[in-house]
Amino acid sequence: MVKNLDEETNETEQLENDVAEEIKTKSLEVDMQGKVNDDFSEDDETKFVMPGEFIGTIEELKPGVGTFSYVSDIHATTTGILRVDKKSRIISVTPKTNYPPTIAVNNIVIGSVVGVKESVVLIEIVAIKDEGERGFQKTGNAAIHVSNVKDSYCKKLDEEFAVGDIIKAKVLNIDNMRLSTAEKELGVMKAQCYNCHIALVLDDNKLKCPQCGRVEKRKISSDYGTGIV
Ligand code: ZN
């Protein structure tokens, strides 16, 4: 019984030694291939990088497609999957086009007004311009501050927006999702009559209800009613 246990222990030890030897050999192989960092292994399909992200140094790797080098650092120029060719040591980023785009500063977004407060209008972003029907990574509600509504002074937000309006806006910052409608093509794209709930039509720079004749004020986009985003 005691003997059997000893034998088992020996076998286990031998197995551990084998594994240790294998690990040693493998790490030696990696060293021979130019100190390729495990994080950048071509087998790592899930390694996503973002534009500007640091991905390696020119001492170790050669910058390829989808990368740029600055001093000795290599960065990604696009969102995609990081790849390292172990033979040539070329590091590249393959754009992942079906990856949902993220909202970025200066993006033009389409949204609907979900709230009009004293100093901010709350917007639910529904699409990013030029991204078509592709989804995007939702961020929660965005806001247009009273100071970013138009070039001229904005006195009352409820004279510029109403809940349910479809708007086009530019992204000012993504940390607190601030938008602007200050440019002439930005602002309300579609609005409904408060009484009749039908689309207001543009009539001499004013929005007028074709049914009851009610005139409503908005920060109107120059693309109002055209359906052009
Ligand atoms: Zn009406």
Side-chain angles (χ1 to χ4, degrees):
M1 195 61 188
V2 171
K3 202 186 169 193
N4 277 349
L5 258 180
D6 273 354
E7 270 175 10
E8 231 172 79
T9 308
N10 283 340
E11 267 175 33
T12 310
E13 269 174 16
Q14 184 57 46
L15 199 66
E16 277 170 2
N17 284 341
D18 284 351
V19 170
E21 188 61 33
E22 204 182 322
I23 290 169
K24 222 160 123 190
T25 312
K26 275 204 174 149
S27 53
L28 198 68
E29 270 171 23
V30 172
D31 274 350
M32 298 283 282
Q33 284 162 3
K35 292 176 184 168
V36 173
N37 188 318
D38 276 350
D39 287 346
F40 303 146
S41 158
E42 64 186 341
D43 302 320
D44 190 359
E45 285 288 334
T46 57
K47 178 69 182 173
F48 270 113
V49 292
M50 301 291 283
E53 196 171 322
F54 169 78
I55 51 176
T57 66
I58 58 171
E59 283 84 19
E60 287 183 311
L61 301 157
K62 295 174 185 169
V65 175
T67 75
F68 71 97
S69 59
Y70 179 71
V71 194
S72 67
D73 293 347
I74 306 170
H75 301 265
T77 58
T78 181
T79 302
I81 302 167
L82 195 64
R83 292 185 195 284
V84 176
D85 185 299
K86 285 183 178 173
K87 269 187 192 162
S88 66
R89 302 197 314 182
I90 291 172
I91 187 166
S92 60
V93 179
T94 308
K96 186 79 175 171
T97 48
N98 59 0
Y99 187 65
T102 49
I103 295 172
V105 171
N106 288 331
N107 273 168
I108 302 296
V109 294
I110 305 301
S112 69
V113 176
V114 293
V116 179
K117 311 268 180 191
E118 201 178 327
S119 63
V120 292
V121 180
L122 300 178
I123 308 294
E124 184 189 353
I125 297 175
V126 295
I128 307 173
K129 189 187 173 184
D130 300 328
E131 295 291 352
E133 296 302 309
R134 290 167 59 197
F136 62 94
Q137 293 184 308
K138 299 275 182 188
T139 55
N141 284 345
I144 306 170
H145 187 256
V146 66
S147 62
N148 298 124
V149 170
K150 52 188 185 181
D151 289 332
S152 53
Y153 177 66
C154 170
K155 199 170 64 183
K156 289 182 76 185
L157 279 175
D158 60 6
E159 290 182 353
E160 315 290 348
F161 300 97
V163 171
D165 288 354
I166 303 299
I167 65 127
K168 176 161 68 170
K170 184 190 266 183
V171 178
L172 293 180
N173 95 45
I174 52 167
D175 295 327
N176 52 7
M177 285 310 293
R178 286 302 167 105
L179 311 178
S180 166
T181 53
E183 289 159 47
K184 75 171 171 63
E185 67 272 20
L186 304 177
V188 176
M189 300 284 290
K190 198 177 175 187
Q192 286 186 346
C193 173
Y194 181 80
N195 294 329
C196 317
H197 303 289
I198 62 167
L200 297 167
V201 294
L202 198 56
D203 180 16
D204 196 23
N205 281 327
K206 288 191 179 100
L207 293 181
K208 199 173 177 183
C209 176
Q211 192 163 297
C212 70
R214 178 188 166 91
V215 172
E216 294 192 23
K217 285 185 177 175
R218 293 290 197 281
K219 197 297 177 183
I220 304 168
S221 159
S222 57
D223 296 323
Y224 184 93
T226 60
I228 298 167
V229 174

